[in-house]
Amino acid sequence: MVTPDMVARCIPSLDARENGETQGQGILSSVLVPLLFPDGGMEEGCRLLFIRRSQQVRHHKGQIAFPGGRCEPWDRSVLETALRETIEELGPQARPARILGRLPPVATVVTGFIIHPFVGVFSPEIKVQPEPREVDAVLTVPLSFFLSEGKAAPERYQYGSHVIWGATARIINQFVAFLMKDGCA
């Protein structure tokens, strides 16, 4: 079974930088990849938490995504942006217990965002309060689903009625590749 310590060993540390936080031409943004580890109750083990963006947001309407958004001038770092945006979208209880590391930046193709993903552990008992102007729904997907699907590194995942694609799928593919590289998962 995958544990937080195993994930932390397999992904780049928080100190890892991809040639600076403003790498590339685009709109600087960041997301949190929330991991929920069971306290003994879930047979499928670790789950990833996603949001479905509302139809009221400016970019990526209705898409399944990780919580996060655009960096603001007052944010001291892209990690601070990911944490701030997660709390704005999911409520004050949406604070990770631990940040495990960061993944390499991912660019969106059409909208021009450069996304810096951070991986964090949340309590599986988290009670989110989605901000309705930004979030239509919250869903969790077992990590095992992506590990079994990830061998082909698809650009699109179909989980029930939900389609996970684009930059979110590329972030998942990076995460799965790090986990599978050294036999962590």
Short mmCIF file of all heavy atoms in Angstrom, two decimals, residues 8 15 18 29 32-33 43 63 71 96 104 110 112 114 128-129 134-135 143 145 151 158 171 177 183:
data_model
loop_
_atom_site.label_atom_id
_atom_site.label_comp_id
_atom_site.label_asym_id
_atom_site.label_seq_id
_atom_site.Cartn_x
_atom_site.Cartn_y
_atom_site.Cartn_z
N ALA A 8 6.52 10.87 -0.63
CA ALA A 8 7.52 11.92 -0.41
C ALA A 8 8.90 11.50 -0.92
O ALA A 8 9.66 12.34 -1.43
CB ALA A 8 7.60 12.28 1.07
N ASP A 15 12.13 21.72 -2.19
CA ASP A 15 13.25 22.57 -2.58
C ASP A 15 13.55 22.48 -4.06
O ASP A 15 14.26 23.32 -4.60
CB ASP A 15 14.51 22.19 -1.79
CG ASP A 15 14.33 22.45 -0.30
OD1 ASP A 15 13.55 23.35 0.05
OD2 ASP A 15 14.96 21.75 0.49
N GLU A 18 12.22 24.17 -10.95
CA GLU A 18 12.33 23.95 -12.39
C GLU A 18 12.82 25.25 -13.02
O GLU A 18 12.06 25.98 -13.63
CB GLU A 18 10.98 23.54 -12.98
CG GLU A 18 10.46 22.23 -12.46
CD GLU A 18 11.31 21.07 -12.90
OE1 GLU A 18 11.75 21.05 -14.07
OE2 GLU A 18 11.54 20.16 -12.10
N SER A 29 0.59 30.03 -12.22
CA SER A 29 -0.47 29.50 -11.37
C SER A 29 0.05 28.25 -10.67
O SER A 29 1.12 27.76 -10.98
CB SER A 29 -1.71 29.18 -12.20
OG SER A 29 -1.42 28.17 -13.15
N LEU A 32 -2.91 22.27 -5.92
CA LEU A 32 -2.59 21.28 -4.91
C LEU A 32 -3.16 19.96 -5.37
O LEU A 32 -4.30 19.90 -5.84
CB LEU A 32 -3.22 21.69 -3.58
CG LEU A 32 -2.65 21.08 -2.33
CD1 LEU A 32 -1.14 21.29 -2.21
CD2 LEU A 32 -3.33 21.67 -1.11
N VAL A 33 -2.36 18.91 -5.30
CA VAL A 33 -2.81 17.55 -5.59
C VAL A 33 -3.11 16.93 -4.23
O VAL A 33 -2.21 16.44 -3.55
CB VAL A 33 -1.73 16.75 -6.35
CG1 VAL A 33 -2.18 15.33 -6.61
CG2 VAL A 33 -1.34 17.46 -7.65
N GLU A 43 -10.72 0.31 1.76
CA GLU A 43 -9.94 -0.80 1.22
C GLU A 43 -9.07 -0.40 0.05
O GLU A 43 -8.02 -0.97 -0.18
CB GLU A 43 -10.88 -1.93 0.80
CG GLU A 43 -11.48 -2.66 1.98
CD GLU A 43 -12.35 -3.81 1.53
OE1 GLU A 43 -12.25 -4.23 0.36
OE2 GLU A 43 -13.13 -4.29 2.36
N GLN A 63 -14.69 21.81 -15.97
CA GLN A 63 -13.65 20.78 -16.04
C GLN A 63 -13.32 20.21 -14.67
O GLN A 63 -13.42 20.89 -13.64
CB GLN A 63 -12.38 21.36 -16.67
CG GLN A 63 -12.54 21.70 -18.13
CD GLN A 63 -11.24 22.19 -18.75
OE1 GLN A 63 -10.16 22.09 -18.17
NE2 GLN A 63 -11.34 22.75 -19.95
N CYS A 71 -1.58 32.91 -9.68
CA CYS A 71 -0.79 33.59 -8.66
C CYS A 71 -1.15 35.07 -8.64
O CYS A 71 -1.30 35.69 -9.70
CB CYS A 71 0.70 33.44 -8.93
SG CYS A 71 1.29 31.75 -8.77
N PRO A 96 -3.78 21.24 4.10
CA PRO A 96 -3.10 19.95 4.13
C PRO A 96 -2.37 19.75 5.46
O PRO A 96 -1.87 20.70 6.05
CB PRO A 96 -2.11 20.03 2.97
CG PRO A 96 -1.90 21.49 2.75
CD PRO A 96 -3.17 22.18 3.16
N PRO A 104 6.97 18.78 -11.59
CA PRO A 104 7.39 19.78 -12.57
C PRO A 104 6.20 20.57 -13.12
O PRO A 104 5.09 20.05 -13.20
CB PRO A 104 8.03 18.93 -13.68
CG PRO A 104 8.46 17.67 -12.99
CD PRO A 104 7.41 17.43 -11.94
N VAL A 110 -4.29 25.90 -24.48
CA VAL A 110 -5.08 26.98 -25.07
C VAL A 110 -5.04 28.25 -24.24
O VAL A 110 -4.89 29.35 -24.78
CB VAL A 110 -6.55 26.52 -25.26
CG1 VAL A 110 -7.42 27.66 -25.76
CG2 VAL A 110 -6.61 25.35 -26.23
N GLY A 112 -2.86 29.26 -21.76
CA GLY A 112 -1.56 29.86 -21.46
C GLY A 112 -1.15 29.90 -20.01
O GLY A 112 -0.37 30.77 -19.61
N ILE A 114 0.92 28.42 -16.77
CA ILE A 114 2.03 27.57 -16.34
C ILE A 114 1.67 27.15 -14.91
O ILE A 114 1.67 27.97 -14.00
CB ILE A 114 3.39 28.30 -16.36
CG1 ILE A 114 3.67 28.91 -17.72
CG2 ILE A 114 4.51 27.36 -15.90
CD1 ILE A 114 3.81 27.91 -18.84
N VAL A 128 -15.23 19.50 3.37
CA VAL A 128 -15.05 20.66 2.51
C VAL A 128 -16.35 21.45 2.41
O VAL A 128 -17.44 20.91 2.59
CB VAL A 128 -14.55 20.25 1.10
CG1 VAL A 128 -13.18 19.62 1.19
CG2 VAL A 128 -15.52 19.34 0.41
N GLN A 129 -16.19 22.73 2.14
CA GLN A 129 -17.30 23.64 1.91
C GLN A 129 -17.05 24.33 0.57
O GLN A 129 -16.51 25.44 0.53
CB GLN A 129 -17.39 24.67 3.03
CG GLN A 129 -17.63 24.07 4.38
CD GLN A 129 -17.46 25.10 5.49
OE1 GLN A 129 -16.66 26.00 5.41
NE2 GLN A 129 -18.25 24.94 6.54
N GLU A 134 -17.17 28.97 -7.69
CA GLU A 134 -15.99 28.38 -8.31
C GLU A 134 -16.05 26.87 -8.49
O GLU A 134 -15.44 26.33 -9.41
CB GLU A 134 -14.74 28.73 -7.48
CG GLU A 134 -14.44 30.21 -7.46
CD GLU A 134 -13.10 30.50 -6.83
OE1 GLU A 134 -12.12 29.83 -7.19
OE2 GLU A 134 -13.03 31.39 -5.97
N VAL A 135 -16.79 26.19 -7.60
CA VAL A 135 -16.77 24.72 -7.57
C VAL A 135 -18.19 24.17 -7.61
O VAL A 135 -19.01 24.50 -6.75
CB VAL A 135 -16.05 24.22 -6.30
CG1 VAL A 135 -16.07 22.70 -6.23
CG2 VAL A 135 -14.62 24.75 -6.23
N LEU A 143 -6.26 6.24 -6.02
CA LEU A 143 -4.96 6.28 -6.69
C LEU A 143 -4.74 5.02 -7.51
O LEU A 143 -4.15 5.07 -8.60
CB LEU A 143 -3.84 6.47 -5.67
CG LEU A 143 -2.41 6.43 -6.20
CD1 LEU A 143 -2.17 7.51 -7.24
CD2 LEU A 143 -1.41 6.54 -5.05
N PHE A 145 -6.72 3.47 -9.37
CA PHE A 145 -7.29 3.64 -10.71
C PHE A 145 -6.26 4.24 -11.65
O PHE A 145 -6.06 3.76 -12.77
CB PHE A 145 -8.55 4.53 -10.64
CG PHE A 145 -9.05 4.97 -11.98
CD1 PHE A 145 -9.79 4.10 -12.78
CD2 PHE A 145 -8.80 6.25 -12.45
CE1 PHE A 145 -10.26 4.50 -14.02
CE2 PHE A 145 -9.27 6.66 -13.69
CZ PHE A 145 -9.99 5.77 -14.48
N LYS A 151 -0.16 3.23 -16.88
CA LYS A 151 0.91 2.58 -17.65
C LYS A 151 0.93 3.07 -19.09
O LYS A 151 1.96 3.10 -19.73
CB LYS A 151 0.73 1.07 -17.58
CG LYS A 151 0.95 0.51 -16.19
CD LYS A 151 0.74 -0.99 -16.16
CE LYS A 151 1.03 -1.56 -14.80
NZ LYS A 151 -0.07 -1.49 -13.87
N GLN A 158 -11.31 8.39 -18.01
CA GLN A 158 -12.76 8.31 -17.83
C GLN A 158 -13.00 7.58 -16.52
O GLN A 158 -12.70 6.40 -16.40
CB GLN A 158 -13.40 7.55 -18.99
CG GLN A 158 -14.90 7.44 -18.90
CD GLN A 158 -15.62 8.70 -19.35
OE1 GLN A 158 -15.23 9.31 -20.34
NE2 GLN A 158 -16.66 9.08 -18.63
N ILE A 171 -0.70 16.24 -15.20
CA ILE A 171 -0.18 16.26 -13.83
C ILE A 171 -0.30 14.87 -13.22
O ILE A 171 0.64 14.37 -12.59
CB ILE A 171 -0.93 17.31 -12.98
CG1 ILE A 171 -0.58 18.73 -13.47
CG2 ILE A 171 -0.60 17.15 -11.49
CD1 ILE A 171 -1.47 19.83 -12.91
N ALA A 177 4.10 8.52 -12.97
CA ALA A 177 5.43 8.16 -13.47
C ALA A 177 6.46 8.20 -12.34
O ALA A 177 7.31 7.31 -12.24
CB ALA A 177 5.84 9.10 -14.60
N GLY A 183 9.54 2.03 -8.21
CA GLY A 183 8.77 0.97 -7.55
C GLY A 183 8.11 1.41 -6.26
O GLY A 183 7.90 0.61 -5.36
#
